[in-house]
Amino acid sequence: DQKEQVTPRRLAGGQFMVQLDGEGTYQCSSTGLVFEVTGAARITYSLLSWSKYAQLVEEPWIVGGPLFDVRCSEPATLSSLHFPHCLCLRG
């Protein structure tokens, strides 16, 4: 699988945004998120805190990995989304 690296634009409130121009597989250079799209789309995403949602996780499940809020301008074009197992944003 060939992934095109994309550098997101940082928005207010810790959000990231990428404009994907057409069909393909793209990987965010900051978060490692991988987007497979069938056409052009604008994707905005941000990290969320598990502290707000941890009480929703019941045994035997445990909290793990980063938690993202992902939104797509053209939801039908987003055919697949791959989340990283871990995340380091260098500070």
Side-chain angles (χ1 to χ4, degrees):
D1 267 336
Q2 241 0 48
K3 297 176 191 81
E4 183 177 335
Q5 289 287 311
V6 290
T7 301
R9 195 170 132 214
R10 289 185 181 249
L11 306 175
Q15 287 190 324
F16 298 93
M17 190 272 294
V18 290
Q19 179 67 47
L20 308 176
D21 295 328
E23 182 176 9
T25 303
Y26 301 87
Q27 184 170 27
C28 173
S29 62
S30 296
T31 64
L33 281 169
V34 177
F35 311 100
E36 290 184 46
V37 293
T38 58
R42 183 180 62 253
I43 301 176
T44 57
Y45 47 102
S46 61
L47 284 163
L48 299 177
S49 171
W50 270 110
S51 62
K52 184 175 178 179
Y53 300 98
Q55 75 278 1
L56 300 174
V57 180
E58 297 179 6
E59 297 267 347
W61 301 101
I62 61 171
V63 171
L67 182 63
F68 288 94
D69 178 18
V70 180
R71 298 167 192 259
C72 182
S73 64
E74 300 294 330
T77 65
L78 184 59
S79 59
S80 180
L81 179 58
H82 304 258
F83 294 97
H85 293 286
C86 61
L87 181 65
C88 177
L89 293 176
R90 295 179 217 110

